[in-house]
Amino acid sequence: RKQSDPYNWANTDWYDIALRKETPQVKYGLDMSGGSEKTKYFVSLSYFDQGSNYKTDIASFKRYTARTNIT
């Protein structure tokens, strides 16, 4: 509309108000392995964080992962 009546015909960009242009992501990982001739070990730890698409962080996603192996 031409903004002749802004109370009834508001010109609002709801995508710009509610959504981010970019979504931040972070991923960290740590792997360790070693051992001797008879035994070997492996340990893996990771962290993943993805922010929300919304400007308020109401729907962010975080994941923690751990894995171990001993032979």
Side-chain angles (χ1 to χ4, degrees), residues 2 9-11 30 36-37 41 43 47 49 51 62:
K2 297 181 182 179
W9 307 105
N11 188 13
L30 175 67
S36 62
E37 294 179 7
Y41 69 90
V43 177
Y47 169 74
D49 183 10
K62 293 182 182 179

Side-chain angles (χ1 to χ4, degrees), residues 13 15-24 52-55:
D13 185 4
Y15 287 107
D16 187 45
I17 292 172
L19 299 177
R20 296 181 186 192
K21 294 186 182 357
E22 299 173 355
T23 303
S52 174
N53 289 338
Y54 300 103
K55 289 189 177 180

Side-chain angles (χ1 to χ4, degrees), residues 2-69:
K2 297 181 182 179
Q3 292 294 319
S4 60
D5 188 6
Y7 294 107
N8 290 323
W9 307 105
N11 188 13
T12 305
D13 185 4
W14 291 107
Y15 287 107
D16 187 45
I17 292 172
L19 299 177
R20 296 181 186 192
K21 294 186 182 357
E22 299 173 355
T23 303
Q25 286 187 353
V26 176
K27 182 177 181 181
Y28 298 107
L30 175 67
D31 294 337
M32 296 181 289
S33 63
S36 62
E37 294 179 7
K38 294 184 178 184
T39 61
K40 294 181 182 180
Y41 69 90
F42 175 76
V43 177
S44 175
L45 303 170
S46 66
Y47 169 74
F48 178 76
D49 183 10
Q50 180 178 7
S52 174
N53 289 338
Y54 300 103
K55 289 189 177 180
T56 59
D57 287 331
I58 58 173
S60 64
F61 176 76
K62 293 182 182 179
R63 177 176 63 206
Y64 302 90
T65 306
R67 178 180 169 215
T68 61
N69 187 14

